[in-house]
Amino acid sequence: MKKESICVQGGWQPTKGEPRQVPIYQSTTFKYDSSEQMARLFDLEESGYFYTRLQNPTNDAVAAKIAALEGGVGCVLTSSGQAANFFAVFNICEAGDHLITSNNIYGGTFNLFGVTMRKMGIECTFVDPEWSDERIEAEFRPNTKCFFGETISNPGCTVFDIERFAKMAHRHGVPLLVDNTFATPINCHPFEWGADIVVHSTTKYMDGHAAQVGGAIVDSGNFDWEAHADKFPGLCAPDESYHGLTYTKAFGKMAYITKCTAQLMRDLGAVPSPQNTFILNLGLESLHLRVAQHCRNAKALAEFLKGDERVAWVRYSDLEGDKYHALQQKYLPNGSCGVVAFGLKGSREDAIRFMDSLKLISIVTHVADARSCVLHPASHTHRQLSDEQLRAAGVDPSLIRLSVGIEDVDDLLADLKQALALI
């Protein structure tokens, strides 16, 4: 099926007499007739359901849909996008290991990698994607386990050169992990450009209605873990917690996803509720329609802002002349996303006055919603950082993040105009 049909019908194919819509399996546990049946499930010798913390039929159906949309071999859902980022890295990193990431990433992920995981003994080096290959490759170490980046950065709206960094990561025997939240699989397929693992905050466009919090990890099945077995003992050496089972030998291309589910979800439990997953699936059914409208509206607003004398700068890669337009045309030819970054001429107070004057567009922490919303990271999500620290994280202190919804574009333009008139 093409992606439009996958959005609507992927993951759940009912047979005679079964529900047309994905049912909500709102149960913690599942019954079996014998102790032996249950034992085989716990030993990973059979597939099936016994406890929702590990697997649930509702979650698995929607995970299969997302895997199909991305073109991956498997997917695991998590309770949030941050949990997905953590699990994706922690599945192949442990104390004493190292990862490299673009510095143009979401502030929460920046803190996860740079502060929280450091406390766990995992070091992270942040690199500027604008640096030369030589300068970035000098940061790789023998204990480096992965490279991480965002297709479209949050909140900076820069475009990640997936093919370039995939080749770089592979030269050093590690996978490339890409957060594809803003682009969604409708506008970009990172696996086609060499990425190995994709993560999503399903809270954003995939849901699209600010109704649930969730995350997803999708494996392409393309990275050869066995070729770098010394680097990845968690996948390529026996797991004593499962009687010496070796994931790559037992599960082949599903090794990474199986380990993530059987080990990390078992021990850390960041599982989404079936109810939340049901809501997520309702959003996925219209994803292909909403993303196109988000992009149309965002481009119109970006063009207006670029032509307004009160606006100092605009970052929206779909615009000709944008610094990242060539990369957008390569990776996202049908459109990038609905998020526009821009800065006003004047002070931080001018930015706050502008946002406070908006009537239709709301000030909220959320982004990538059907409803338009706005945020000033320096005053809100990143307010603990100095201007120098903001720039180091790839965030201009004047940056306003405008998440353009699917309302009528003329109404949105009118709101921008009346607010700009008041500063």
Side-chain angles (χ1 to χ4, degrees):
M1 293 187 291
K2 294 184 178 179
K3 57 191 175 184
E4 292 83 359
S5 298
I6 295 171
C7 282
V8 179
Q9 296 206 27
W12 176 252
Q13 286 81 42
T15 58
K16 182 179 179 180
E18 289 188 316
R20 189 68 186 89
Q21 177 58 277
V22 178
I24 303 172
Y25 286 84
Q26 195 67 46
S27 179
T28 60
T29 49
F30 302 84
K31 177 186 176 296
Y32 288 87
D33 293 331
S34 71
S35 177
E36 177 62 23
Q37 288 175 326
M38 185 70 77
R40 292 181 68 81
L41 291 172
F42 271 96
D43 285 343
L44 304 183
E45 293 175 356
E46 287 185 7
S47 62
Y49 302 99
F50 54 93
Y51 199 61
T52 282
R53 188 175 80 241
L54 281 92
Q55 286 181 293
N56 176 282
T58 306
N59 293 351
D60 280 3
V62 179
K65 175 180 286 191
I66 294 174
L69 283 170
E70 284 289 6
V73 296
C75 171
V76 59
L77 301 185
T78 61
S79 57
S80 70
Q82 279 296 78
N85 285 334
F86 173 58
F87 277 24
V89 172
F90 197 57
N91 203 33
I92 50 178
C93 288
E94 58 187 45
D97 286 342
H98 170 253
L99 70 140
I100 299 174
T101 178
S102 163
N103 64 352
N104 290 330
I105 57 173
Y106 168 57
T109 310
F110 193 95
N111 192 76
L112 169 67
F113 292 161
V115 178
T116 302
M117 294 189 74
R118 187 178 295 273
K119 294 176 183 177
M120 303 168 69
I122 299 170
E123 285 193 74
C124 178
T125 298
F126 295 93
V127 299
D128 187 336
E130 301 297 318
W131 291 352
S132 67
D133 285 9
E134 292 74 19
R135 185 175 179 183
I136 295 174
E137 292 200 53
E139 301 294 342
F140 281 85
R141 309 173 187 174
N143 63 336
T144 301
K145 297 300 175 70
C146 64
F147 197 116
F148 183 94
E150 295 178 353
T151 309
I152 303 170
S153 67
N154 178 14
C157 294
T158 61
V159 179
F160 190 65
D161 193 343
I162 300 170
E163 186 174 32
R164 175 194 176 202
F165 292 109
K167 290 178 178 178
M168 191 182 299
H170 296 162
R171 283 197 291 271
H172 293 269
V174 301
L176 175 67
L177 280 60
V178 174
D179 186 327
N180 201 32
T181 296
F182 272 13
T184 81
I186 301 302
N187 282 347
C188 184
H189 282 150
F191 294 156
E192 294 178 359
W193 300 100
D196 300 290
I197 295 158
V198 160
V199 294
H200 285 277
S201 170
T202 64
T203 316
K204 309 305 189 298
Y205 287 121
M206 283 189 169
D207 168 6
H209 302 85
Q212 63 86 46
V213 174
I217 307 168
V218 186
D219 183 15
S220 67
N222 294 331
F223 191 81
D224 190 347
W225 306 104
E226 286 282 354
H228 310 282
D230 291 344
K231 270 187 176 288
F232 304 104
L235 286 161
C236 303
D239 179 358
E240 296 308 318
S241 70
Y242 280 109
H243 309 296
L245 175 148
T246 299
Y247 292 99
T248 51
K249 289 181 170 57
F251 301 104
K253 287 182 177 293
M254 285 294 293
Y256 176 90
I257 290 295
T258 303
K259 177 180 180 292
C260 189
T261 302
Q263 221 182 60
L264 300 190
M265 200 63 81
R266 176 196 65 189
D267 296 342
L268 300 174
V271 62
S273 75
Q275 178 71 55
N276 272 16
T277 302
F278 176 84
I279 294 170
L280 165 61
N281 189 57
L282 295 179
L284 286 169
E285 289 178 355
S286 64
L287 181 65
H288 57 297
L289 301 174
R290 290 184 289 102
V291 165
Q293 180 69 7
H294 281 292
C295 291
R296 283 192 294 269
N297 281 356
K299 187 172 183 180
L301 267 60
E303 288 172 342
F304 164 75
L305 290 167
K306 187 176 180 181
D308 193 283
E309 61 181 11
R310 292 158 293 197
V311 177
W313 60 273
V314 176
R315 167 73 66 238
Y316 190 66
S317 59
D318 298 50
L319 297 179
E320 290 188 17
D322 185 271
K323 181 178 181 179
Y324 296 92
H325 186 62
L327 288 177
Q328 180 265 329
Q329 289 290 290
K330 176 178 179 178
Y331 297 118
L332 306 132
N334 295 322
S336 58
C337 66
V339 183
V340 179
F342 69 99
L344 297 176
K345 295 175 182 176
S347 64
R348 185 174 295 193
E349 288 69 30
D350 290 321
I352 293 171
R353 189 178 302 112
F354 163 75
M355 292 190 299
D356 287 349
S357 301
L358 292 166
K359 297 179 180 179
L360 183 63
I361 302 169
S362 302
I363 300 172
V364 299
T365 305
H366 196 46
V367 66
D369 187 354
R371 294 161 288 260
S372 294
C373 53
V374 69
L375 188 77
H376 184 233
S379 301
H380 302 138
T381 54
H382 295 62
R383 66 179 295 110
Q384 293 82 9
L385 303 182
S386 67
D387 285 0
E388 291 72 24
Q389 289 172 320
L390 284 167
R391 293 189 180 95
V395 179
D396 190 293
S398 69
L399 187 150
I400 294 173
R401 185 186 71 186
L402 174 60
S403 178
V404 185
I406 58 174
E407 304 94 340
D408 183 89
V409 69
D410 291 334
D411 290 338
L412 296 173
L413 286 168
D415 198 21
L416 289 182
K417 291 174 183 177
Q418 66 83 22
L420 285 169
L422 296 175
I423 63 171

